[in-house]
Amino acid sequence: MKYLIFLLLLICAKWIGIILVYPWICLFYQCRKHNSLLMKILRAPGYRLDKLTNEGVSRFIIINIGHIPSLTLRLLLYRLLGIKAGKHVTIHFGTEIRAPYELQLGTGTIIGDNALLDARNGLTIGEHVNLSSHVSIYTEQHDYQDEYFRVTDRGGNKAVEIGDRAWISSNVIVLPGVTIGEGAVCCAGCVVTKDVAPYDVVAGIPARKVAERTHNLKYEFNGSSCWFY
């Protein structure tokens, strides 16, 4: 019994800590581009916390938000962290988001279970896009040619853009700097290393065109899903 009580206290302590720190991280993210004295004062506690923990606090909070069993509450908390999301957006269970203030999600877009969305250099996902489970999208990576294996600016723009009604299937990996066109399909398990033209269907490692999708796409996602998930 005492172990159960200890476990419950530990769980409660974790969520109490998240609730106390979350507002300061929100202020830090929301005020980060404003340089007035008031904004600097408001963002200072969150900045210090994140700096002290090498971004560990904000990442811990974002990962735990992804495991709250409520689509509505998760999306609200993500919006307060700076995500720009249209209507009827669905972010499923277990998603990890890096630099949420650089993430844009269009109307009706669905993010599947356990996705990893790295928006550090900008990630824009269009309307009615479907990301299946375990999709990973990166906008930053180490430079293997660098003598210190640093994250460098070699290679230019690393932002990722995904067009309207694209479908990124299960376990797909999208690498920095890629643009995926409107209506394109990335088949399960492929690794997308270069741009995908609109309505192309790509598969394999690295991903290559294997078919073409119909251009007459009309479906729209309305955000309907189970409540407690």
Side-chain angles (χ1 to χ4, degrees), residues 127-132 162-169 180-187 196-202 209-221:
E127 297 184 354
H128 309 295
V129 174
N130 183 15
L131 268 64
S132 298
I162 300 176
D164 298 345
R165 292 187 175 87
W167 176 24
I168 316 299
S169 193
I180 297 174
E182 179 179 354
V185 176
C186 299
C187 297
V196 179
Y199 303 102
D200 277 3
V201 180
V202 298
K209 182 177 179 179
V210 295
E212 188 167 329
R213 193 181 189 189
T214 177
H215 292 211
N216 190 31
L217 300 174
K218 299 178 180 179
Y219 63 85
E220 294 184 356
F221 299 128

Side-chain angles (χ1 to χ4, degrees), residues 76-178:
L76 173 62
L77 295 173
Y78 285 138
R79 286 182 191 275
L80 292 172
L81 287 170
I83 288 178
K84 301 171 185 67
K87 295 180 180 178
H88 309 308
V89 166
T90 300
I91 302 178
H92 281 297
F93 201 76
T95 296
E96 179 184 346
I97 300 170
R98 299 177 185 174
Y101 44 84
E102 298 292 350
L103 175 60
Q104 297 184 46
L105 303 174
T107 297
T109 282
I110 299 172
I111 307 299
D113 297 316
N114 301 305
L116 192 160
L117 305 180
D118 171 16
R120 285 173 289 179
N121 285 295
L123 174 54
T124 303
I125 300 177
E127 297 184 354
H128 309 295
V129 174
N130 183 15
L131 268 64
S132 298
S133 300
H134 302 282
V135 169
S136 298
I137 300 175
Y138 295 93
T139 65
E140 194 163 286
Q141 62 185 359
H142 291 273
D143 184 353
Y144 67 88
Q145 296 285 20
D146 182 78
E147 60 268 35
Y148 295 107
F149 195 50
R150 292 170 294 193
V151 175
T152 69
D153 292 330
R154 197 195 317 249
N157 180 36
K158 296 179 182 179
V160 171
E161 295 185 19
I162 300 176
D164 298 345
R165 292 187 175 87
W167 176 24
I168 316 299
S169 193
S170 301
N171 295 294
V172 168
I173 298 174
V174 180
L175 296 185
V178 166

Side-chain angles (χ1 to χ4, degrees), residues 20-38:
L20 290 174
V21 173
Y22 175 81
W24 297 111
I25 297 300
C26 285
L27 283 170
F28 170 44
Y29 282 171
Q30 295 286 355
C31 302
R32 58 190 299 276
K33 293 184 179 180
H34 301 279
N35 291 317
S36 68
L37 179 61
L38 176 60

